[in-house]
Amino acid sequence: MDDKIVLKAENLEKTFGAGKKAVKAVDGVSFAVREKEIFALLGPNGAGKTTTVKMLLNLVSPDKGSIQIFGEDMPKVQKEVMKEIGTLLEGSRNLYWHMTVRENVYYFANLRGKSAREVKDDMEMWAERLRIQDKLEEEVGKLSRGMQQKAAIICALATKPKLLILDELLLGLDIITRFEVEKLVKELKEISTLIISSHDLRFIEKVSDRILIINKGKVVAEGTASELRHKISYAKYRFTLRKNEESRYLEELKSIRGVEISFYEGNIDTDILELTFEKPELIYDVFDIFRKFSVIPVEIDNLGEPFEEIFKSFVEGGENK
Amino acid sequence: MKYLWEAELRRFVKFIKNMPTANLPFLIFLYILFWLINFSSTLVIGNVESSKSLTAANMLGYVIWFFAMFSISSIAQNMEDERMQGTFEHLHLSSVSIKSIFLVRALIHAIESIVIIVIFILIVGLIHRVVVFTNVYSLLVLLILLPGLYGFAFLLAGLVLMMRSKEAKNWLAILIYVLLVPLLIPERILSPAVREIFSYFPMFQSVMMLRKLNIDKIPLNLMEVDFVKLVITSILFFVIGLLIFDIADKKAKKKGILGMY
C-alpha cells in the first residue's frame, strides 16, 4: 500500500459547554489516513465520531490539536482543499429539497469549483450504478429517504474527489442497495481515499482497511479488522475427535495453562470439543496430547468471534482483557 | 468564484419558476401596508399643502424599507432557514467563502426585488397619481446604499448565528422592524438632532436624500456633504457587517452550532 498520508489529525480535543455542564466530546484523538485506503471511524452513539468528522471539515473548531489534509494545514487552506473533497454528513440535509437531483449535483459541483459540464457524465454514470437515473429530474423533497441518500452519494462522488468523507452513508438504504454501496465503496478505493463512519459493523468490517474505534471521545483501538480481532479475541476452535478409548485425554488438556475447555459433548466413538486458546501456538500442545492418546481430529472449525463482540469488548474497556 | 454565479443563477431560476403565484398576493399585501402607512401619516401630519408630495415622500421611505427587508430576507433570514434545515453546513464545505455565497445570492435576489418594486411603484403611481422618482440620480443613491444594506443584513446574520434561543431571535426580528419604522416617517416631523443622528445610518440618509432629490427638487451637486456621508457610512456598514459575520461564524464553529437542525 502507498504510504502517502492524505489526512493527519493530531491530538484533537473538543469540549462543548463550560463549567459543570462541560462535555468533553473529543479527547486527544490522533490518526492518519493513507492514500487510497478505506479508513473507518467506529463508535457507539455520542462517542465523538461526528464531532471528529466535523472538525476534519472545519465545521467545528478544535480546542486543541492540528489537522493536515493533502499535507496542508487546515483550516488555512480549506477553500482550496475543499475542491478535492466529497462529503456526506449524517443527520443534516445534504441537498436542497425544492431542487431536482440534477440541479443539486450541478449546484454543489459549482460551489466546489466544477462546471455542470464537467460533472454531467460522472453524475449520470453514478446515477445508473445506484439505479436512480430515472429520478434525476425529480425534486429531492419528493423522493424516499433511501433515494435522497443515493442522490446525496451521487452529489459527493460527481466531482471526482480525491478524498471522500462519508458519515453514516448506509442511512435509509434498503438491503439490496446496501450491498451495492458496499461493492461501490470497495471500487471507489481505486480512485479515492475514503473516511467512513457507520453503525453497521458488518459493513465496516467488510470494506475497511483500517478501523479507529472511539468511545467517550477517546481512541480505544486502531488497526485492521483482523488486528483488532487478534487484540481482543482468543483463538477458539471446535474439534470433532475420533477416539479409541475413554476420554482420558481431557484430564491432560485441562492441565495446559492458557487452554480452556468451553464446550464438551462425549459420545461412544466421537467427542465434540470447543477450546479457547490464550495464545494460538498452544494448539501444538493440544495436538501432542491428541497423538499421545491416539485421538484423531476429523474436523476442525475456527470459531473466532463476531465483530460485534470485538467492538463491544473495546467499547466496554475490554482492550486489556 | 467562477461558477458561483452560475450556481446561484440556476438556483434563482428554479426559485422564480415557483414565484408567479406568490407574487400577486405579495403585491396586494405591499399595497395594503403602504395604504395604511400613508393614511396614518396623513392623520399624524394633518392637512398638508400637497397630499401628493406626502404620498411621494412616504413612497420613497417605503421603497428603502422594502429594500432593507429584502436584503435581510436574502441574507440573514435565508441563512437561518438553511441553518435549521442543515444545508448551511454544506455551504461551508465549498471552495468559496460563505460570505461570497450569500452576497451573490443577495445581488441576484436584488433583481427580483427591483422588478417587484418597479411594478409596485407603477401601481401606486396610477392609483395615487404621483410620480415618485423624478431625478435620475436617485438610482446612484440607491446603488451607493446597497453595500450598506448588505452590511446591515450581514450584521444581523452574525447576531442570529451567535444565538441559540429561538425567543432571542424572535425579539431581534421585532427589534429590527421597530428600528426600521423611522424610514416610513416623514423626517420633517423629527427634531433636527434626531435627523442628524439618523443621517449616520445609510438607510435613513438615503431616504432623506431621495426626498430632497425628488420632492424638494434639490440637485445632487448641492448635497455634497450628504452624498459623502452616505458613501462613507454605507462602506463602513458593509465592512462592519462582514467583520461581525466573520467573528460570529468563528464563534459558531467553536460552539459547534453552525447547524441547528
Side-chain angles (χ1 to χ4, degrees):
Chain A
M1 184 182 282
D2 195 338
D3 275 334
K4 195 176 165 193
I5 300 292
V6 170
L7 186 144
K8 193 175 176 187
E10 269 185 302
N11 203 25
L12 296 179
E13 280 186 27
K14 185 72 203 173
T15 303
F16 292 116
K20 282 181 184 174
K21 286 182 179 173
V23 177
K24 197 147 199 174
V26 176
D27 189 3
V29 169
S30 299
F31 59 92
V33 183
R34 299 184 199 112
E35 194 175 32
K36 304 268 171 80
E37 85 168 334
I38 302 175
F39 186 85
L41 288 172
L42 204 56
N45 288 336
K49 299 187 304 280
T50 298
T51 306
T52 305
V53 166
K54 286 191 175 180
M55 283 197 281
L56 298 180
L57 295 168
N58 192 33
L59 295 174
V60 170
S61 315
D63 296 334
K64 272 185 191 170
S66 65
I67 297 160
Q68 278 193 337
I69 300 183
F70 305 126
E72 307 277 0
D73 289 330
M74 287 283 276
K76 280 182 202 162
V77 289
Q78 193 199 1
K79 300 295 164 210
E80 275 309 301
V81 162
M82 284 320 298
K83 286 180 185 171
E84 308 294 347
I85 302 180
T87 52
L88 184 78
L89 294 180
E90 184 219 352
S92 74
R93 256 192 221 179
N94 288 280
L95 305 167
Y96 287 106
W97 284 14
H98 68 280
M99 284 159 70
T100 66
V101 177
R102 185 185 294 275
E103 285 164 346
N104 265 292
V105 173
Y106 288 169
Y107 179 78
F108 285 105
N110 281 162
L111 291 191
R112 297 226 165 129
K114 302 261 163 74
S115 71
R117 197 181 296 173
E118 276 175 273
V119 298
K120 184 178 175 285
D121 291 343
D122 273 51
M123 174 194 67
E124 283 168 0
M125 186 262 287
W126 292 122
E128 213 175 313
R129 281 289 309 274
L130 291 168
R131 292 180 291 115
I132 192 182
Q133 68 271 34
D134 56 333
K135 307 281 182 200
L136 284 178
E137 314 307 332
E138 279 193 36
E139 285 187 11
V140 172
K142 291 176 183 165
L143 298 177
S144 66
R145 180 73 188 87
M147 286 290 179
Q148 286 173 351
Q149 186 75 344
K150 283 184 188 181
I153 293 172
I154 294 170
C155 225
L157 296 176
T159 53
K160 285 189 185 135
K162 286 182 187 163
L163 173 64
L164 270 162
I165 300 180
L166 310 169
D167 198 7
E168 289 297 343
L169 82 158
L170 296 183
L171 217 67
L173 299 180
D174 56 59
I175 300 280
I176 295 167
T177 315
R178 274 169 178 246
F179 283 121
E180 281 171 8
V181 168
E182 198 176 294
K183 219 171 119 191
L184 184 80
V185 165
K186 283 179 188 166
E187 283 174 34
L188 283 172
K189 196 184 151 182
E190 298 302 315
I191 52 170
S192 191
T193 304
L194 286 97
I195 298 176
I196 52 172
S197 91
S198 173
H199 282 103
D200 192 321
L201 296 171
R202 194 197 58 83
F203 169 74
I204 292 284
E205 188 192 7
K206 265 192 154 181
V207 302
S208 313
D209 293 315
R210 278 190 310 129
I211 300 165
L212 185 85
I213 301 180
I214 307 175
N215 189 34
K216 291 176 185 167
K218 288 185 177 176
V219 174
V220 290
E222 188 186 352
T224 63
S226 67
E227 277 170 359
L228 294 179
R229 217 174 253 288
H230 275 286
K231 271 189 197 175
I232 199 72
S233 66
Y234 302 162
K236 196 172 180 181
Y237 293 94
R238 179 190 287 133
F239 298 89
T240 306
L241 306 167
R242 200 166 65 222
K243 58 183 184 180
N244 296 321
E245 51 184 291
E246 289 294 301
S247 305
R248 284 191 295 122
Y249 68 95
L250 282 174
E251 289 309 312
E252 291 230 11
L253 277 182
K254 282 177 191 166
S255 67
I256 308 173
R257 280 187 71 178
V259 177
E260 192 189 317
I261 302 170
S262 48
F263 177 81
Y264 171 74
E265 189 185 297
N267 297 305
I268 300 165
D269 55 353
T270 55
D271 280 354
I272 296 172
L273 200 63
E274 278 179 20
L275 299 178
T276 307
F277 299 84
E278 265 183 31
K279 290 175 191 165
E281 56 269 28
L282 287 171
I283 201 164
Y284 298 122
D285 298 346
V286 171
F287 276 112
D288 288 342
I289 292 170
F290 287 164
R291 189 180 292 122
K292 186 176 161 190
F293 290 91
S294 302
V295 173
I296 301 163
V298 288
E299 202 177 318
I300 303 172
D301 294 316
N302 185 351
L303 297 178
E305 259 192 88
F307 197 68
E308 283 83 351
E309 289 302 316
I310 296 164
F311 171 69
K312 223 171 111 186
S313 305
F314 277 118
V315 168
E316 287 168 0
E319 202 179 11
N320 304 318
K321 188 170 151 186
Chain B
M1 199 69 186
K2 193 178 162 191
Y3 297 112
L4 178 59
W5 283 92
E6 186 186 324
E8 290 303 334
L9 275 169
R10 187 178 292 113
R11 196 174 168 276
F12 177 66
V13 168
K14 178 77 187 177
F15 169 77
I16 218 78
K17 273 183 192 169
N18 300 327
M19 275 305 281
T21 46
N23 274 337
L24 192 63
F26 184 52
L27 278 168
I28 295 169
F29 163 77
L30 275 182
Y31 181 73
I32 292 171
L33 189 63
F34 174 71
W35 187 87
L36 283 171
I37 290 161
N38 204 34
F39 179 69
S40 314
S41 69
T42 315
L43 289 179
V44 172
I45 294 174
N47 251 346
V48 286
E49 249 177 54
S50 162
S51 63
K52 278 188 183 175
S53 69
L54 180 64
T55 304
N58 288 338
M59 189 62 200
L60 288 167
Y62 197 66
V63 167
I64 301 299
W65 177 84
F66 173 80
F67 277 127
M69 296 313 280
F70 221 88
S71 310
I72 293 166
S73 159
S74 56
I75 295 177
Q77 182 63 49
N78 190 247
M79 181 211 73
E80 185 58 10
D81 288 347
E82 299 233 2
R83 197 172 165 219
M84 304 301 270
Q85 288 164 3
T87 42
F88 188 57
E89 285 186 331
H90 282 270
L91 296 180
H92 272 81
L93 303 177
S94 310
S95 58
V96 283
S97 76
I98 194 81
K99 293 187 297 262
S100 310
I101 295 172
F102 279 97
L103 199 58
V104 169
R105 266 187 200 182
L107 284 167
I108 290 172
H109 278 272
I111 302 164
E112 184 200 354
S113 60
I114 288 165
V115 171
I116 292 172
I117 208 69
V118 165
I119 296 170
F120 182 66
I121 288 169
L122 288 173
I123 293 169
V124 172
L126 283 171
I127 295 172
H128 295 268
R129 304 209 173 270
V130 285
V131 180
V132 181
F133 289 102
T134 55
N135 193 319
V136 73
Y137 288 108
S138 303
L139 279 175
L140 183 66
V141 173
L142 287 173
L143 208 67
I144 293 166
L145 169 67
L146 223 52
L149 280 182
Y150 291 156
F152 183 61
F154 270 114
L155 192 146
L156 288 178
L159 292 177
V160 170
L161 202 51
M162 282 192 275
M163 290 174 180
R164 272 178 200 246
S165 146
K166 213 171 178 181
E167 260 182 22
K169 286 174 203 168
N170 290 342
W171 279 112
L172 182 70
I174 293 166
L175 181 71
I176 298 313
Y177 279 109
V178 172
L179 283 176
L180 292 177
V181 162
L183 284 174
L184 306 166
I185 297 169
E187 72 269 17
R188 72 180 86 161
I189 66 165
L190 301 173
S191 69
V194 175
R195 246 183 285 174
E196 179 63 21
I197 293 166
F198 278 178
S199 71
Y200 289 98
F201 293 89
M203 281 90 89
F204 300 107
Q205 176 67 351
S206 64
V207 172
M208 289 193 270
M209 282 181 73
L210 287 175
R211 283 172 182 159
K212 281 180 189 169
L213 275 172
N214 295 289
I215 299 168
D216 304 333
K217 309 289 180 198
I218 299 169
L220 191 64
N221 56 3
L222 293 180
M223 290 191 276
E224 274 175 14
V225 177
D226 287 339
F227 187 76
V228 171
K229 208 185 256 182
L230 179 65
V231 171
I232 292 172
T233 54
S234 187
I235 293 170
L236 207 65
F237 257 76
F238 186 64
V239 173
I240 291 171
L242 291 184
L243 275 175
I244 291 195
F245 184 79
D246 259 346
I247 293 166
D249 197 53
K250 276 182 190 146
K251 283 210 163 195
K253 281 179 181 174
K254 203 128 190 93
K255 286 184 184 173
I257 54 169
L258 267 190
M260 298 279 277
Y261 42 86

